[in-house]
Amino acid sequence: MALYDLILGPFLEFGFMRRALMGCIALSISGAPIGVFLVLRRMSLMGDVMAHAILPGAAIGFLLSGFSLFAMTVGGVAAGLLVALGAGAIARTTPLREDASFAAFYLVSLGLGVMIVSIKGSNIDLLHVLFGNVLALDDPSIYLIGGIATVTLLSLALIYRLLVAECFDPGFLKSVGGAGGLAHFLFLALVVLNLVGGFNALGTLMVVGLIVLPAASARFWSESVPGQIVASAVIGIGSSLVGLLVSYHGELPTSPAIILAAGAVHALSILAGRHGSFASQALRARHLRG
């Protein structure tokens, strides 16, 4: 009975908990390969930049239509793609490096998005945009997240080899010309799509955590790219489950609870993961001394 009340009861008794879990599972499965490639390509911080880049577009959608899923999604996708293209173009045509260009867009986008939401909405609306409300996911939001997950997995299946090649041999992707550039742009578009899908659940400040934290943790549990993708998805789903339960029983904010659960797994991975953790390095050193 205690196990039912602690773990199963909330999901069996309340539809909003089931929808929240379904949305987080879809986000974890879709965000796992995105996060792994962001980490492998040393673009983890770019995920945070892009998460804030979608804010002005989503805010304009909110300004025009309120909390309209369609308007905020279209606005977020448009703003994210515009920032990705703009930052890349500036980096290619000026001495400014790509990371500095993205940082500039990040700061402007965050300030502009907060300003736009504040014009029409209240502090509660601003908190909803920044931190999301995963417990309020409705059926259209679930369909959107599921659709984005499907598109992401199918698209990554097409460009998987090119992305892996770029991670371990960047010169190769440059040598294949147009195919490499197309793969890079498609990957950035998938990053934007996943951030927009997650934005509806976790908000712009939290969504990147469910993409990057599990992927960073997965590096301590597997050395292969497929293994890291699977481990990242499992960690994301587990963190979502734990975060939802902690939020439900402790009456705590849901999005931060999910991200903190993922952070706890990351700390555990650093300490005791199979590859490169403190524990594995200590065991290896002891073995070499023996």
Side-chain angles (χ1 to χ4, degrees), residues 82-96 98 101-102 105:
L82 182 62
V83 167
L85 290 174
I90 290 174
R92 286 192 296 269
T93 57
T94 70
L96 195 66
E98 191 173 31
S101 179
F102 270 110
F105 275 98

Side-chain angles (χ1 to χ4, degrees), residues 7-275:
I7 299 178
L8 299 179
F11 299 105
L12 294 178
E13 294 179 14
F14 300 106
F16 68 87
M17 288 291 288
R18 291 194 296 273
R19 285 191 293 272
L21 182 59
M22 290 175 58
C24 288
I25 289 174
L27 284 172
S28 298
I29 294 174
S30 178
I34 295 293
V36 167
F37 282 115
L38 283 175
V39 171
L40 290 175
R41 301 170 81 189
R42 300 180 181 179
M43 297 170 64
S44 303
L45 290 178
M46 198 204 77
D48 190 52
V49 171
M50 296 305 298
H52 293 85
I54 68 175
L55 183 56
I60 291 174
F62 169 78
L63 186 66
L64 297 176
S65 305
F67 283 108
S68 166
L69 179 64
F70 176 78
M72 295 180 74
T73 299
V74 171
V77 171
L81 292 177
L82 182 62
V83 167
L85 290 174
I90 290 174
R92 286 192 296 269
T93 57
T94 70
L96 195 66
R97 291 180 56 182
E98 191 173 31
D99 58 343
S101 179
F102 270 110
F105 275 98
Y106 156 78
L107 295 170
V108 173
S109 297
L110 180 60
L112 180 61
V114 171
M115 180 66 71
I116 293 173
V117 174
S118 300
I119 290 175
K120 179 179 179 179
S122 63
N123 289 336
I124 295 177
D125 295 326
L126 180 60
L127 288 175
H128 178 87
V129 171
L130 294 178
F131 296 100
N133 190 359
V134 67
L135 296 182
L137 287 179
D138 53 12
D139 290 342
S141 298
I142 296 294
Y143 297 148
L144 172 66
I145 296 172
I148 289 174
T150 302
V151 170
T152 297
L153 295 177
L154 291 176
S155 300
L156 285 175
L158 295 176
I159 62 174
Y160 176 80
R161 292 182 179 275
L162 286 174
L163 292 178
V164 172
E166 185 187 30
C167 292
F168 298 102
D169 186 7
F172 171 77
L173 196 59
K174 293 181 180 179
S175 69
V176 297
L182 180 62
H184 181 72
F185 173 75
L186 180 56
F187 177 72
L188 290 179
L190 293 176
V191 172
V192 171
L193 277 178
N194 279 268
L195 291 172
V196 169
F199 153 78
N200 290 289
L202 301 177
T204 59
L205 292 182
M206 295 287 139
V207 58
V208 72
L210 196 58
I211 294 177
V212 172
L213 274 173
S217 303
R219 295 205 67 181
F220 293 97
W221 299 102
S222 177
E223 293 182 320
S224 69
V225 175
Q228 290 179 28
I229 291 174
V230 172
S232 177
V234 171
I235 292 171
I237 293 171
S239 300
S240 299
L241 177 62
V242 171
L244 287 170
L245 290 173
V246 169
S247 171
Y248 174 81
H249 292 293
E251 298 182 0
L252 298 171
T254 309
S255 296
I258 292 174
I259 301 307
L260 287 175
V265 175
H266 185 57
L268 176 63
S269 302
I270 294 174
L271 292 173
R274 294 178 57 194
H275 305 285

